[in-house]
Amino acid sequence: MPHPRHRWAAAEALGVDESVLWPEVIRNVVKTGPDREVLAVYPYRSACPKSVWRTLIANARSEITLAGYTNYFLWLEHPNLARVLKRKAEQDCRIRFLLGDPDSEVTRQREEAEAVPLTVSTRIRITLAELDPLREVAGIEARFGDEHIALSVFQFDDEMLVTPPPGQTGRP
């Protein structure tokens, strides 16, 4: 593969675009395929650096959607999250939470499968307690849904973090 300045000179001398002579250069520089908008991949949610979360939250201007079943980790990893979200909402950023219903059969079955002392319903209730002081803040809302128990989607304007269901991460 010629050095870039030689490729450019050859393309210019021949009057064609560099990609005509060396299409693999474009494929190596510009990502193609169905994952071309994927910026980073982490093997699991907790492997994503806290700084990525902080940056996404801080930079969101119009919408933040936190659709994790418990969202418990957010309050642990971002101690001033309630204050940040309140300020965002006051600046016209719409903030939505989708949580599992702590009293649903789906949650009960998940607790049975996990069999850990800090239950799924307890983690949901911790998030609800953290959200309680924000209840009257315009632009912040929370709803229950059980369809997303294994899939979490976190949207920050036009960027997302997605946690696929176990077994669908491409890991053996």
Side-chain angles (χ1 to χ4, degrees), residues 42-65:
Y42 306 98
Y44 38 88
R45 193 235 352 113
S46 61
C48 180
K50 292 175 190 165
S51 60
V52 170
W53 290 92
R54 278 192 301 271
T55 300
L56 289 169
I57 292 167
N59 291 343
R61 297 287 173 245
S62 61
E63 182 175 8
I64 296 174
T65 301

Side-chain angles (χ1 to χ4, degrees), residues 54-119:
R54 278 192 301 271
T55 300
L56 289 169
I57 292 167
N59 291 343
R61 297 287 173 245
S62 61
E63 182 175 8
I64 296 174
T65 301
L66 303 164
Y69 203 74
T70 70
N71 287 323
Y72 170 72
F73 75 96
L74 289 167
W75 311 105
L76 293 178
E77 295 178 3
H78 308 283
N80 64 345
L81 182 61
R83 186 177 36 193
V84 170
L85 294 178
K86 181 179 181 196
R87 188 176 66 244
K88 288 273 183 202
E90 290 167 347
Q91 296 168 351
D92 295 325
C93 183
R94 181 179 182 195
I95 299 163
R96 298 179 297 170
F97 281 82
L98 179 62
L99 303 167
D101 182 341
D103 299 316
S104 75
E105 180 63 20
V106 172
T107 298
R108 191 196 61 71
Q109 288 174 2
R110 181 60 169 259
E111 289 176 345
E112 205 171 277
E114 285 185 6
V116 296
L118 186 59
T119 64

